[in-house]
Structure formats: structure tokens, C-alpha cells
Amino acid sequence: MPAGDTTLRPEIAHSWWRSERSGLTPAAPQPRVEPDAVDRRGRLRTAAGPVLAELARQLGETDFCVVLADRAARITELSGGGRALRDRLESLGVVSGGVFLEETTGTNSLATAYELRRGVAVHGEEHYLEPFKRFSCYGHPITHPVTRRLVGVLDITCPSAAGSPLLAPLVARAAS
């Protein structure tokens, strides 16, 4: 699907366009991993810790995984879900320190929610990069309650067939 394809939702089409403009191609991701830049004891991880632990407990060994990214769109936490799902995601660069910007990972719920500063679902074929088309995800920005600045993005990811509209309110509530 080219970025100008009218079958894409407008926010997804614009994301594809931004991804193409940055030189990214669907078959050639430009992953960037900065594990040393992850703040393991920062405010975001401290505040999100109990929420992530509860989500991980509820998800158990299901095919749903929660991902937390910081204000630089850098993954700080991958939790919940079965080991097989986490292994598949990790093989695609969904690891601590992985930078999920549209210019490095294309259209996905972490990068696009970061760019738009609002929640967004990305379903299977809407992903810009071919390897991510097997997944559905919903990402929601986390904003500071006083300054209203973006402090991170919370995401839930699952195999495409397991996607549900119920993911949006679940993650939006957890992000708040």
C-alpha cells in the first residue's frame, strides 16, 4: 500500500508519508538501539512500575505484550505476554533502548502515538515495515499531569488476529 493509498486511514497514510520522506523503506528498517541511554530508575519507570506489573499479571502468558517508551521514544520496558511473543518482538528490535521513531521503525503505535501525541491503533497491514504486519498494537501517550508534556508512550501489542477495539480504552486508562 503506497502512502497515497486512499484505503488507509488519514493518520496512517500521513505516517507512511513521513516514514517514506525520512528514507525508510518497508523492507529495510533502520533500527537504532541505545541501551545505555535508558533511565532505569527515572520517574517514568518508577511511576509506571506498579501499572506495568499489574498489566503483566493480568496478561499472564497470553499473546499480549505491554511496551513502555520514554520521552525520546526509546523502549524502557517490555512486559507481560508469553515468552514466544516477547522473543518475536525482541527479534524485531523491540528491546530496552530500541528507538521507535517513524524515521527508524515506520508506522507503529509507539512511533505514531509519539508523533501525533494522541492514542493510535495500528492493525496488521497498516504497519509500514513488513516484519511488523503480523501484529496489531495500540499506543497511548503518557503526559505529565501538571506540565502536559509528553513523558512517554504505553503500548500493547498482539498478533494481528487477536487485535480488539477494547485495547484502546485499556491502554488509555493505564496510561492515565
Side-chain angles (χ1 to χ4, degrees), residues 31-99:
R32 197 167 85 218
V33 179
E34 301 171 348
D36 295 335
V38 174
D39 185 359
R40 303 200 187 290
R41 290 184 282 203
R43 290 180 183 159
L44 175 64
R45 294 245 337 229
T46 301
V51 174
L52 293 174
E54 179 59 19
L55 284 171
R57 187 192 68 71
Q58 291 175 358
L59 293 173
E61 292 294 314
T62 64
D63 271 347
F64 292 85
C65 186
V66 177
V67 182
L68 177 68
D70 65 16
R71 71 172 48 109
R74 191 176 25 247
I75 294 173
T76 63
E77 188 82 30
L78 180 68
S79 63
R83 186 74 237 168
L85 175 62
R86 286 198 316 271
D87 287 346
R88 282 184 287 174
L89 292 171
E90 288 171 359
S91 75
L92 298 174
V94 183
V95 296
S96 184
V99 179

Side-chain angles (χ1 to χ4, degrees), residues 149-169:
R149 290 186 177 143
L150 179 79
V151 295
V153 176
L154 184 63
D155 160 271
I156 190 165
T157 298
C158 62
S160 291
S164 166
L166 296 175
L167 298 178

Side-chain angles (χ1 to χ4, degrees), residues 94-145:
V94 183
V95 296
S96 184
V99 179
F100 270 64
L101 297 168
E102 286 182 345
E103 65 231 32
T104 60
T105 59
T107 304
N108 61 74
S109 68
L110 284 170
T112 306
Y114 176 85
E115 182 71 32
L116 298 177
R117 302 294 202 259
R118 64 177 173 80
V120 65
V122 181
H123 309 287
E125 292 294 318
E126 292 179 328
H127 285 90
Y128 185 75
L129 295 180
E130 290 297 326
F132 288 103
K133 292 183 184 285
R134 302 178 307 201
F135 302 99
S136 285
C137 52
Y138 178 80
H140 197 86
I142 302 169
T143 55
H144 189 281

